[in-house]
């Protein structure tokens, strides 16, 4: 039944464990793994029909007069978001298991549309909570953020499945940019930063070297085609200092009279990243390495060139920003290129 209605989302049944020649086959779920049931299926299918605007409308009605708010609407808002979380995390679990862990598809004809998938392998898990704010405000108080954590915990088994970098959106807040969006840091849910982008961007404590560059694509939105994120290059300070040099460059400049090649001087430093290289010591915090240690994601493997304007001030700023964190933003005077 579950595969019949969730197969279009990529859901697969686990293979049954069987004993052959003394060896066990299939996959044995742990006590923390999420096991879906028909209640989850019913609530999730309802969640697909509830838009973010409708969640926000329910929150406004609840804030206006909680005593007269329909109990059925309250159950709908909470049950659909909790089921959404359980399905998303169950699908994420599938993406890290071998194909031998699953039974053959019962409905192979079910087509999957990537635009309609609630979870895409290699991307951040996008969870939902419904926590109305005081007076219907768009900014959450500390107590409301804690309530968001409790609501994720109430999605039976969801909290134990969270990983560093998972995104939780409070759909009770009207959608605008990243307002109401929280990121899991390995222990708690934390706000995004709004320093370089009015709609919000990933915070400085989240080192993007541990994730694919597309990990948050269409999950954390940006006001331009150049999203802001942070790279911690602290392990490569020596490489940056040793390779930093003043170079002459030629760039194309457009004007009403035509295109011109203009010479300029820039400071450049190069460093080499290896996939799986340890970049943090936060064991157990949800990193991709053994024990949760942060390591370089394979998509970042290769040479990185860090560039700054050809002035002493810009070079000094570059060295200062490499430790502890390099910010990539539209307002940054430093640029970065990948080879």
């Amino acid at each position: 039944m579950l595969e019949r209605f969730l197969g279009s989302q990529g859901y697969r049944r686990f293979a049954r464990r069987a004993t052959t020649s003394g060896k066990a086959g299939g996959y044995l779920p742990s006590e923390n793994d999420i096991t879906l049931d028909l209640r989850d299926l019913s609530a999730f299918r309802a969640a697909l029909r509830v838009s973010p605007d409708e969640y926000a409308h329910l929150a406004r009605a609840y804030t206006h007069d909680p005593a007269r708010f329909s109990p059925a609407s309250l159950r709908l808002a909470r049950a659909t978001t909790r089921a959404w979380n359980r399905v998303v995390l169950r699908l994420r679990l599938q993406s890290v298991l071998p194909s031998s862990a699953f039974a053959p598809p019962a409905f192979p004809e079910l087509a999957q549309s990537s635009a309609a998938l609630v979870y895409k392998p290699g991307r951040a898990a996008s969870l939902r909570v419904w926590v109305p704010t005081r007076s219907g405000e768009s900014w959450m108080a500390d107590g409301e953020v804690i309530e968001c954590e409790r609501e994720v915990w109430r999605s039976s088994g969801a909290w134990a499945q969270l990983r560093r970098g998972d995104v939780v959106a409070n759909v009770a807040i009207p959608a605008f940019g990243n307002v109401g969006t929280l990121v899991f840091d390995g222990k708690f849910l934390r706000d995004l930063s709004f320093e370089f982008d009015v709609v919000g961007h990933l915070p400085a404590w989240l080192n993007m070297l541990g994730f694919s560059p597309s990990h948050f694509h269409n999950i954390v939105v940006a006001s331009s085609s150049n999203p802001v994120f942070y790279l911690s290059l602290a392990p490569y300070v020596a490489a940056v200092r040793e390779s930093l040099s003043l170079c002459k460059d030629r760039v194309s400049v457009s004007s009403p009279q035509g295109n011109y090649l203009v010479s300029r001087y820039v400071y450049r430093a190069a460093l080499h990243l290896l996939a799986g290289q340890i970049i943090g010591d936060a064991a157990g915090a949800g990193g991709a390495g053994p024990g949760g240690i942060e390591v370089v994601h394979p998509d970042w493997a290769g040479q990185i060139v860090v560039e700054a304007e050809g002035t002493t001030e810009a070079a000094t700023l570059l060295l200062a920003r490499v430790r502890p964190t390099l910010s990539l933003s539209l307002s940054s005077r430093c640029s970065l290129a990948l080879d």
Side-chain angles (χ1 to χ4, degrees):
M1 179 68 74
L2 292 176
E3 191 169 354
R4 171 65 181 86
F5 291 98
L6 295 179
S8 59
Q9 293 289 340
Y11 176 86
R12 295 279 301 278
R13 293 178 296 118
F14 289 129
R16 293 185 178 181
R17 291 180 57 85
T19 302
T20 304
S21 301
K23 295 183 179 180
Y27 172 73
L28 181 62
S30 70
E31 60 180 8
N32 291 328
D33 289 345
I34 292 177
T35 302
L36 302 180
D37 55 28
L38 294 181
R39 289 177 299 179
D40 294 320
L41 173 62
S42 176
F44 175 74
R45 287 175 61 83
L48 294 177
R49 298 190 294 269
V50 182
S51 69
D53 289 340
E54 290 174 315
Y55 278 120
H57 176 75
L58 290 175
R60 286 193 296 269
Y62 178 84
T63 303
H64 178 70
D65 192 351
R68 300 182 61 182
F69 190 72
S70 168
S73 298
L74 183 61
R75 289 194 299 269
L76 172 70
R78 291 175 174 172
T80 52
T81 52
R82 293 172 186 175
W84 175 283
N85 297 342
R86 288 173 54 79
V87 171
V88 167
L89 293 175
R90 172 61 168 77
L91 295 174
R92 201 255 299 276
L93 173 64
Q94 291 184 186
S95 66
V96 299
L97 296 177
S99 58
S100 60
F102 306 103
F107 303 92
E109 71 280 1
L110 291 177
Q112 298 182 33
S113 172
S114 60
L117 295 179
V118 297
Y119 174 75
K120 298 179 182 179
R123 301 285 178 85
S126 181
L127 309 183
R128 293 178 173 181
V129 294
W130 188 79
V131 179
T133 58
R134 64 190 188 285
S135 303
E137 295 181 4
S138 297
W139 299 99
M140 291 183 286
D142 291 344
E144 290 160 348
V145 174
I146 294 175
E147 182 61 24
C148 289
E149 295 178 342
R150 292 171 178 166
E151 189 61 23
V152 175
W153 183 84
R154 294 182 186 115
S155 306
S156 302
W159 186 262
Q161 294 293 321
L162 289 185
R163 297 180 186 172
R164 184 181 177 90
D166 284 348
V167 177
V168 177
N170 185 0
V171 292
I173 297 176
F176 174 75
N178 296 304
V179 175
T181 300
L182 305 168
V183 180
F184 187 62
D185 69 354
K187 295 182 179 179
F188 308 103
L189 296 180
R190 299 176 63 177
D191 291 313
L192 297 183
S193 176
F194 291 81
E195 183 177 0
F196 297 113
D197 196 332
V198 294
V199 301
H201 60 81
L202 295 172
W205 56 262
L206 190 69
N207 185 5
M208 273 298 294
L209 286 180
F211 304 91
S212 168
S214 62
H215 190 73
F216 296 95
H217 181 63
N218 287 339
I219 297 175
V220 176
V221 301
S223 61
S224 71
S225 59
N226 297 312
V228 178
F229 57 85
Y230 290 80
L231 299 179
S232 177
L233 301 182
Y236 309 98
V237 173
V240 172
R241 290 183 180 274
E242 293 173 2
S243 61
L244 186 64
S245 60
L246 185 63
C247 307
K248 186 176 182 179
D249 192 17
R250 303 186 72 185
V251 296
S252 177
V253 177
S254 299
S255 71
Q257 290 74 32
N259 297 329
Y260 299 91
L261 287 177
V262 178
S263 297
R264 65 167 185 167
Y265 285 91
V266 295
Y267 277 101
R268 285 178 180 158
L271 51 102
H272 190 71
L273 301 182
L274 299 176
Q277 185 176 7
I278 296 177
I279 54 176
D281 56 0
I293 297 175
E294 288 186 283
V295 297
V296 175
H297 191 277
D299 288 352
W300 286 102
Q303 187 180 56
I304 288 184
V305 178
V306 183
E307 181 179 290
E309 295 177 3
T311 63
T312 302
E313 293 80 3
T316 303
L317 176 62
L318 171 60
L319 294 175
R321 294 181 66 184
V322 167
R323 187 177 184 90
T325 303
L326 173 67
S327 166
L328 299 186
S329 67
L330 297 178
S331 61
S332 173
R333 296 175 62 188
C334 302
S335 60
L336 176 146
L338 294 176
D339 290 336

